[in-house]
Amino acid sequence: MGCFFSRRRKPAQGGQPQLQQQAGAGQDAATGEQKAPQYSWDLRAKVDPKDYTFSGLKNETVGRLPGKVAGQQFVIQDCENCKIYIFDHSATITIDDCVNCQIFLGPIKGSVFFRDCKDCKCVVACQQFRTRDCRKLEVFLCCATQPIVESSTGMKFGCFQYYYPELALQFKDAGLSIFNNTWSNIHDFTPGENNWGLLPETAVVQDYVPLPSSEELKAVRVSTDATKSIIPITRGRRQKNSDESCLTVFFAGDYTTANARKLIDEMTSKGFQLVQTKEVLMKAEDAHRVFQQSALEFIPLLEKGPVVALEFNGDGAVEQCQSTINEVFSGTKVFVSESKTSASQDVDNFYNFADMQMGM
């Protein structure tokens, strides 16, 4: 079970704790006796672990509305046949000994750890994802690092797809990028067996984790329409339909996210598939490695912040990407592969660099 911490205040100048100056502090007016000093942190509202725990529930629908978790740690344990919705960002979440539950977990700044769970269906966004001693979990996942399964069987994964109005800001509060999602790049610690696979491409989130039915939770305006998803839907490690891919890289600016989303909409509406996305900082030496002879043109843009890279796949992807960039983003400096021949090398160069940068 996780521990619960509130933010520690700095001591006053000189290294001594600052006393809360209140009427009556110091000496009792009636008795003249010296009262124990009160520190400022003694007067703050205490975090009650019960507010951040679902335990021992059966056949219930429960949840937390946006703003009710606000970055605290959360524990879910010993629940059966429950629908659980955490519509907020949190620090870490542990899920222990849950059976036949349907769970939505909003953005998690650190790790989510499933232990001894079985027959659960989940939608999860996190920095780190891990399971141990689990059976038959089906997870629509957004994970910034490589997901880990250990001593688990019957695991199935799909790409996170979800929307409600507060979700984008919650991703920022949790320090997660909507473009960093390695949902299908699973590391299986259990030797000798393939204990995981991918959900069908046609899988619909609502068939696995239905929209909340309670009046309180229905106030959260949820959509599971893939076209509205906060996270771009990627093919991940599924087999590509074509041997032609195209790399497009947007540089940091006020409209980087909006521009990347616009290009995704334009390309997917024409039948091209988004394979993977990444948001990462680049240095000059990285630009030389990735952009080759075009590097000098883009190096000055790297100081503004991280780049957003998109890989599209399909016959004619390079030509269509170039055409769309010229028509829709004519005033924006964007890297796009020059030819089908160079594009596959562009993709390999960028994502090899990005995986090294992110420690994968």
Side-chain angles (χ1 to χ4, degrees), residues 14 34 36 47 50 77 106 140 153 176 181 229 239 308 311:
Q34 194 71 21
V47 173
K50 291 197 294 286
Q77 60 188 14
F140 290 86
T153 59
L176 300 178
N181 185 10
S229 176
Q239 185 172 349
V308 172
E311 179 193 350

Side-chain angles (χ1 to χ4, degrees), residues 95-154:
I95 303 97
D96 292 329
D97 300 290
C98 289
V99 179
N100 196 33
C101 291
Q102 296 161 314
I103 302 171
F104 172 84
L105 302 178
I108 301 160
K109 185 172 186 176
S111 63
V112 59
F113 198 177
F114 288 82
R115 297 177 293 202
D116 299 291
C117 296
K118 62 180 181 180
D119 298 315
C120 292
K121 297 174 171 60
C122 314
V123 182
V124 178
C126 59
Q127 175 75 20
Q128 299 173 316
F129 177 92
R130 187 172 180 183
T131 72
R132 190 177 69 206
D133 299 319
C134 292
R135 194 177 77 221
K136 285 188 69 178
L137 299 191
E138 296 172 314
V139 186
F140 290 86
L141 179 63
C142 174
C143 187
T145 56
Q146 189 174 24
I148 293 172
V149 298
E150 181 180 0
S151 303
S152 300
T153 59

Side-chain angles (χ1 to χ4, degrees), residues 161-174:
Q161 41 198 281
Y162 218 78
Y163 170 84
Y164 53 88
E166 299 86 353
L167 189 53
L169 183 57
Q170 291 172 5
F171 265 89
K172 289 184 179 179
D173 288 340

Side-chain angles (χ1 to χ4, degrees), residues 73-92:
Q73 301 181 43
F74 210 96
V75 173
I76 301 170
Q77 60 188 14
D78 300 310
C79 294
E80 185 177 351
N81 299 324
C82 290
K83 295 180 174 65
I84 299 170
Y85 305 87
I86 307 296
F87 290 128
D88 205 359
H89 70 102
S90 57
T92 63

